[in-house]
Amino acid sequence: MEEQLEQSKQRLHFCMAVIGGWFGAYMVLRFGHFASAVTVNLLEMFTGAVKSNWRLALLRLGSTALYAFAILLTAWLPKRTHSDLRRWAILIDMAAALLLCMLPDNAGDCGVYISMFAMAFQWSTFAGKRGYPCSTIFSTNNLRQFVDAWVQVHLNRDADHTPRMHLYGGTLLSFHSGVLMVCILWRLGCGQWAILGALIPAAIAMSWQRRDIHLRQAMGEKLV
């Protein structure tokens, strides 16, 4: 049963990576901004100020603050609720997808704020797997970890790194399958409605989250 639980958690992690890729690609295609990581926002905040583009600087300051607030919530809520934050993260992603598809094309700033909050909450809730920090919303560290693990396994003949290689490789594949699906839908002319496709992996993720809860209950774990 422990192996079933571990597989359930891993499949849930990969589903969330699909959603992360879906949101990232959608925001770039529709609003020209990768609204999943704070790095770009911090850069644009400072470069906007240097260019005296105070509107941009203040908008990016606001999105960075909102990102930090979402992270704050994921640290604060577990001590004050018995609810599974993973369910919250999935529901927030679903709500964000519905809101984004209804925004007009000239509401990119609002779209950035919606995506930033949802992705920050997801990132902090699904912060890692098997003891490794493994993001479901961007790929920089995941790529580094995968390449390093691949070298250790295939060139240095150290099989101990196989689980790490599989985790990061699977996360990269899942994330970019979400990216690919958005690109296909965009080419098919779905436009702003392409984000609604993220509801499919979200629904699958919800089913894996429920399965995880049932397995943990069957094993006698306290769900706190």
Side-chain angles (χ1 to χ4, degrees):
M1 190 170 289
E2 288 185 4
E3 182 60 29
Q4 288 180 315
L5 179 60
E6 191 59 38
Q7 289 178 358
S8 177
K9 290 180 178 178
Q10 182 157 293
R11 287 165 181 167
L12 174 56
H13 176 87
F14 290 156
C15 277
M16 299 312 295
V18 173
I19 297 170
W22 209 295
F23 269 77
Y26 177 84
M27 292 303 296
V28 171
L29 284 170
R30 188 168 181 214
F31 298 118
H33 186 80
F34 182 59
S36 296
V38 80
T39 305
V40 172
N41 288 269
L42 286 171
L43 287 171
E44 290 188 349
M45 182 177 70
F46 287 105
T47 57
V50 167
K51 294 180 178 180
S52 296
N53 187 344
W54 300 110
R55 180 181 178 278
L56 177 63
L58 290 173
L59 282 170
R60 296 302 178 246
L61 174 62
S63 61
T64 299
L66 186 64
Y67 201 88
F69 177 67
I71 296 171
L72 180 152
L73 284 178
T74 62
W76 181 75
L77 285 172
K79 299 294 185 180
R80 289 159 179 84
T81 177
H82 295 298
S83 298
D84 190 339
L85 283 195
R86 296 174 303 172
R87 176 184 288 270
W88 288 38
I90 297 167
L91 290 173
I92 288 171
D93 285 349
M94 295 174 83
L98 292 172
L99 288 172
L100 286 169
C101 79
M102 293 187 291
L103 288 179
D105 289 337
N106 61 357
D109 295 331
C110 183
V112 167
Y113 275 56
I114 292 170
S115 180
M116 290 288 283
F117 181 83
M119 292 296 97
F121 199 98
Q122 175 179 319
W123 178 38
S124 294
T125 304
F126 295 88
K129 189 75 183 62
R130 293 183 181 271
Y132 300 115
C134 187
S135 173
T136 58
I137 65 169
F138 48 79
S139 297
T140 305
N141 183 61
N142 295 346
L143 179 62
R144 184 188 71 83
Q145 291 279 2
F146 171 71
V147 172
D148 179 84
W150 187 91
V151 169
Q152 300 302 327
V153 171
H154 293 287
L155 301 184
N156 296 341
R157 307 299 180 186
D158 187 350
D160 290 343
H161 293 270
T162 301
R164 181 164 65 101
M165 181 181 70
H166 289 164
L167 170 63
Y168 287 103
T171 304
L172 286 168
L173 284 173
S174 299
F175 181 91
H176 289 93
S177 68
V179 172
L180 179 61
M181 288 306 301
V182 172
C183 292
I184 291 173
L185 291 172
W186 197 270
R187 288 288 294 178
L188 291 174
C190 293
Q192 70 189 75
W193 308 105
I195 190 63
L196 292 179
L199 296 176
I200 297 173
I204 296 171
M206 191 70 79
S207 70
W208 284 115
Q209 184 269 342
R210 287 198 298 266
R211 176 176 170 79
D212 175 276
I213 294 296
H214 293 327
L215 286 171
R216 289 167 64 193
Q217 288 175 333
M219 294 170 63
E221 288 189 20
K222 289 185 66 177
L223 303 179
V224 295

